[in-house]
Amino acid sequence: MTEKPPAAASSSNQAIENLEQELSVLWRRARAASQRVARAVHPDLEPAAYGLLVLLQRRGPLRLTDVAAAIGVGKPSVSRQIVMLESLGLVEKQADPEDGRAQTISLTESGSEQLARTQRAREKHFRALLASWNEDEVHTLSLLLHKLNASQVPEGSK
């Protein structure tokens, strides 16, 4: 099914309605893609845990409190996901070299390899998806998505 392009915005209300519609489509597709991506790393991986793997890949070993702070959830939620990732052989805990009482969490060699393989497949998919776009269009989309992701909803407007 092909989605219809948004109508020309004749007002700021129409522009916001168009944006909401297009983001809804994007989010639906992203949720489905998240399921596929997570399963590509490991058949039992939950989509939310994929983001933890990427965080550990980018930032290296982290304490549980740092992981929780980085993704904006409580320690109990992250702890459950880390236990699951550990049971799948994707992450491991080590004594924190700066504080022997604490532990750091990092990717295992297998976790790192599986994640990298999945990321290469995702990149190939995006290249095919955007093959008809010029480099400026891809760059503009990236900048606008970054701006959207960096935006904060003012308190009380939810």
Side-chain angles (χ1 to χ4, degrees), residues 132-154:
S132 66
W133 292 37
N134 68 47
E135 188 175 336
D136 287 341
E137 289 172 321
V138 175
H139 183 69
T140 298
L141 176 62
S142 176
L143 289 174
L144 291 172
L145 287 173
H146 175 77
K147 185 175 182 176
L148 177 64
N149 288 331
S151 299
Q152 292 189 8
V153 176

Side-chain angles (χ1 to χ4, degrees), residues 32-134:
S34 291
Q35 287 281 346
R36 288 190 305 274
V37 167
R39 299 297 185 255
V41 173
H42 191 283
D44 297 326
L45 184 66
E46 297 173 8
Y50 177 82
L52 293 178
L53 296 177
V54 172
L55 176 67
L56 292 170
Q57 178 191 50
R58 290 183 179 159
R59 298 199 26 205
L62 294 171
R63 291 182 184 184
L64 184 65
T65 54
D66 296 329
V67 173
I71 63 172
V73 300
K75 280 176 47 177
S77 296
V78 172
S79 182
R80 285 189 294 275
Q81 288 184 331
I82 295 298
V83 167
M84 184 265 303
L85 291 170
E86 196 173 20
S87 73
L88 297 176
L90 301 173
V91 302
E92 60 190 357
K93 295 176 185 171
Q94 306 91 16
D96 186 337
E98 295 177 17
D99 181 354
R101 300 168 296 169
Q103 292 182 317
T104 60
I105 302 152
S106 61
L107 293 174
T108 61
E109 185 176 331
S110 173
S112 183
E113 290 169 1
Q114 290 172 310
L115 182 59
R117 185 186 71 243
T118 301
Q119 288 170 325
R120 286 189 301 272
R122 286 181 71 186
E123 182 180 337
K124 184 178 177 182
H125 171 76
F126 275 114
R127 286 189 186 284
L129 183 66
L130 301 173
S132 66
W133 292 37
N134 68 47

